[in-house]
Amino acid sequence: MTEIDRRTFVRGAVGAAALASTPAAANTAPDVVDETGKSEVIVKVGVQGNGGPYAFGPEAVRVDPGTTVRWKWTGEGMHNVVAEDGSFESEMLGEAGATFEHTFEETGTSKYVCSPHKSMGMTGVVVVGEEAGVASADGGGAASMGPGELAVGGSFVAALLSPLAFAAFLFARGRDEGATAPETPGRPQP
């Protein structure tokens, strides 16, 4: 077994913790699929993404005013489609082939989510018209997170870091004390 010094161990542990706590695509704008010129557009619900069937496909779509968007369930999990502004909302569905539709009449950007999987990143955007834009499907970064979401994220980071901190403590303690095992009363020592 290769021996490493304390500084190398701590450097690696801190780097791994930083990498693990960084969201993969934080604050990135989704690719907008141009579906202008069509009267109806299909968006799949429950496609692979965010670590399982927790995505819309495509995540962001551009349409003309008057276009009907039909969300079609893949059959992978229970999901819904809920506009963040409250303008439309489907039931919780899971059956493959189930659909929900909404016709977008006004120019603008309509963000929507799957309510139970929003914190996992199951978000989408319908951009209506040429002049409307999209910055991020989830509204963008920590500023758009509620206190509960921030608490969950902080707890996750703490859960990742605590075993590393404990391992560093044990590593440092073992090096300082010559790595001898403590005596246990009633048990023979090796």
Side-chain angles (χ1 to χ4, degrees), residues 181-190:
E183 289 188 28
T184 305
R187 297 187 80 183
Q189 295 299 313

Side-chain angles (χ1 to χ4, degrees), residues 6 9-18 156-174:
R6 186 178 320 152
F9 174 80
V10 171
R11 219 181 286 145
V14 170
F156 180 73
V157 170
L160 285 174
L161 293 178
S162 62
L164 294 173
F166 185 65
F169 167 77
L170 291 177
F171 182 76
R173 183 172 174 231

Side-chain angles (χ1 to χ4, degrees), residues 1-183:
M1 184 167 164
T2 308
E3 188 172 323
I4 60 171
D5 66 5
R6 186 178 320 152
R7 182 171 292 161
T8 302
F9 174 80
V10 171
R11 219 181 286 145
V14 170
L19 183 61
S21 66
T22 303
N27 298 323
T28 59
D31 291 331
V32 180
V33 176
D34 188 357
E35 297 284 359
T36 55
K38 297 181 180 179
S39 61
E40 183 178 291
V41 173
I42 302 284
V43 174
K44 293 181 182 177
V45 180
V47 300
Q48 288 298 310
N50 303 307
Y54 307 114
F56 295 102
E59 179 183 1
V61 61
R62 181 181 303 277
V63 300
D64 293 320
T67 301
T68 298
V69 174
R70 177 175 290 155
W71 287 270
K72 187 173 183 179
W73 274 250
T74 63
E76 298 292 325
M78 295 291 292
H79 304 288
N80 65 357
V81 178
V82 180
E84 289 190 344
D85 66 3
S87 60
F88 58 88
E89 180 174 349
S90 76
E91 297 178 23
M92 288 291 295
L93 301 168
E95 182 180 333
T99 62
F100 170 75
E101 63 183 50
H102 180 77
T103 301
F104 293 86
E105 301 291 350
E106 297 180 24
T107 301
T109 301
S110 182
K111 297 177 185 179
Y112 62 91
V113 301
C114 169
S115 296
H117 303 121
K118 177 182 178 181
S119 63
M120 297 175 76
M122 193 167 178
T123 61
V125 178
V126 176
V127 180
V128 183
E130 291 298 320
E131 298 181 16
V134 57
S136 173
D138 67 356
S144 67
M145 290 185 182
E149 292 168 320
L150 289 173
V152 168
S155 298
F156 180 73
V157 170
L160 285 174
L161 293 178
S162 62
L164 294 173
F166 185 65
F169 167 77
L170 291 177
F171 182 76
R173 183 172 174 231
R175 299 280 291 183
D176 292 342
E177 295 180 9
T180 59
E183 289 188 28

